[in-house]
Amino acid sequence: MNKNILPPFIGVFASWLVIWQLHRYLLVDNCLDIRGSFQYSTGQCLLDNGVVQSDGLTSVMLVTYFAVGFIVALFVATCVRKLIASRGDK
């Protein structure tokens, strides 16, 4: 794989992992805030009255995901690029 393609690829993959974990955290946190119990096996929030709470993506969550993903991808790609450059100097 080309040295110029590897850092952005790793950065995008790392940002995908961070966004995935952030999404799970926000869903669980939101469920617990409304006094529900989060079922990890189904990914649903069950309220006390037996209703299944279905949260869609809000615009605030989408902006947060975009910002976090962009920052993580740039940071990881920069670090990988510097790591490759420092190993190439030896």
Side-chain angles (χ1 to χ4, degrees):
M1 188 176 268
N2 190 349
K3 283 194 307 189
N4 294 329
I5 294 175
L6 187 62
F9 179 75
I10 293 173
V12 168
F13 183 74
S15 68
W16 177 77
L17 290 175
V18 168
I19 290 171
W20 178 41
Q21 291 300 318
L22 179 65
H23 181 69
R24 287 188 61 195
Y25 171 76
L26 290 176
L27 285 179
V28 173
D29 188 50
N30 186 34
C31 180
L32 297 177
D33 284 347
I34 58 175
R35 300 194 188 276
S37 62
F38 193 78
Q39 302 297 316
Y40 287 95
S41 60
T42 61
Q44 296 177 334
C45 179
L46 300 175
L47 300 178
D48 290 337
N49 58 4
V51 174
V52 176
Q53 176 72 22
S54 172
D55 286 331
L57 290 175
T58 63
S59 59
V60 173
M61 287 175 70
L62 288 175
V63 169
T64 303
Y65 295 160
F66 178 77
V68 168
F70 189 73
I71 291 168
V72 168
L74 284 177
F75 178 74
V76 170
T78 302
C79 290
V80 170
R81 189 172 287 117
K82 286 181 180 181
L83 181 67
I84 290 173
S86 70
R87 291 183 58 108
D89 292 341
K90 292 182 179 182

